[in-house]
Amino acid sequence: MDLYGVCVLDNFLGYQRGMTVLDEVLNLYNMGVFKDGQLVRNKASNNLKTIRGDQIIWVDGREDCCKQIGQLISDVDAVVMGSNKMNDNGKLGNYTINGRTKAMVACYPGHGSHYVKHVDNPNKDGRCITAIYYLNKDWDIKENGGLLRIFPEGWSDQVADIEPLFDRILFFWSDRRNPHEVQPAFKTRYAITLWYFDGNEKEEAGRRFQHAS
Ligand code: AKG
């Protein structure tokens, strides 16, 4: 992360555990509990879906139907919290990670669903690391699309293309260093995302919010 701002790990849980997480996600999806991702109105077209075509549900991993997702969350926490003390000054980057969001389970239901280029945390809301776990078996990027393209700041015209492959996890800085887009997906595409908070930035964001309200 310190070198590139982006990090990919394959075979994160192993096939069997990855499958149990996928089963839970498929069950959740079949329960019909997913909602359209939080939408931002596109002023030009007035069309919401052109910005973001995923469907999502937030879980904390303690729900009866989400125990395996809960285990995944614990494993990701261990990686992030472990690396939190990795560098010389006892921090990850310049961050002191002290919490995270719930897990966002996302489905792009094919049919060209996508997410236009955006930054997860453009305005210092506290989120510093984005972690995305992918669940897509036999994903053929040419046929199925759904590529995650990151445009890392300072890489001039170079990009990082991440295929959303089964049991792959991706970490990147959530701020303006990493604008990214999900290219149109033509097959159902699943992922689970966690955002980790920097204690100081989160506190500062809380103060700003209080002053504003
Ligand atoms: C987001 O939810 O902000 C994304 O950009 C999704 C990325 C992905 O699923 O590859």
Side-chain angles (χ1 to χ4, degrees):
M1 288 291 277
D2 281 335
L3 208 53
Y4 299 110
V6 175
C7 171
V8 181
L9 291 175
D10 284 326
N11 307 311
F12 183 62
L13 297 181
Y15 183 81
Q16 296 297 344
R17 285 192 56 207
M19 283 303 293
T20 60
V21 174
L22 176 58
D23 282 347
E24 281 189 350
V25 168
L26 293 175
N27 278 340
L28 272 177
Y29 195 67
N30 291 333
M31 283 160 63
V33 290
F34 282 55
K35 302 269 186 280
D36 282 342
Q38 196 187 7
L39 299 167
V40 184
R41 195 171 291 276
N42 176 341
K43 286 193 189 113
S45 67
N46 215 22
N47 184 346
L48 300 178
K49 284 267 169 70
T50 54
I51 304 274
R52 176 174 183 176
D54 59 342
Q55 297 168 342
I56 62 166
I57 182 169
W58 294 91
V59 304
D60 72 10
R62 282 175 297 196
E63 302 86 348
D64 282 341
C65 55
C66 298
K67 297 291 183 216
Q68 296 301 323
I69 296 174
Q71 280 297 318
L72 163 70
I73 294 171
S74 301
D75 285 16
V76 183
D77 285 351
V79 170
V80 174
M81 299 307 175
S83 53
N84 198 10
K85 297 190 176 60
M86 285 296 256
N87 70 16
D88 292 345
N89 55 6
K91 290 183 170 183
L92 178 63
N94 283 323
Y95 299 119
T96 306
I97 297 189
N98 75 340
R100 59 159 165 73
T101 62
K102 288 184 177 184
M104 185 187 81
V105 185
C107 170
Y108 289 78
H111 315 292
S113 46
H114 61 280
Y115 196 152
V116 298
K117 188 172 169 185
H118 65 282
V119 171
D120 286 350
N121 175 16
N123 297 319
K124 298 195 180 297
D125 65 17
R127 291 176 295 167
C128 63
I129 294 176
T130 303
I132 309 179
Y133 180 73
Y134 293 111
L135 287 156
N136 307 296
K137 287 171 67 188
D138 306 317
W139 193 265
D140 177 342
I141 204 74
K142 285 209 179 84
E143 218 168 282
N144 308 139
L147 186 75
L148 175 70
R149 173 160 288 178
I150 307 180
F151 305 81
E153 184 192 71
W155 286 24
S156 63
D157 54 357
Q158 290 201 72
V159 295
D161 282 344
I162 315 290
E163 299 184 18
L165 303 183
F166 178 77
D167 203 23
R168 164 173 282 181
I169 191 160
L170 163 72
F171 300 90
F172 57 88
W173 302 128
S174 310
D175 61 19
R176 289 174 191 256
R177 283 172 287 182
N178 285 315
H180 56 281
E181 68 186 10
V182 178
Q183 296 184 351
F186 299 100
K187 185 175 152 185
T188 311
R189 174 192 190 275
Y190 294 104
I192 300 177
T193 303
L194 295 161
W195 285 275
Y196 287 85
F197 293 120
D198 170 62
N200 296 328
E201 188 180 306
K202 182 89 166 57
E203 215 178 278
E204 185 56 37
R207 273 198 291 271
R208 278 203 315 273
F209 184 74
Q210 270 182 348
H211 281 132
S213 55

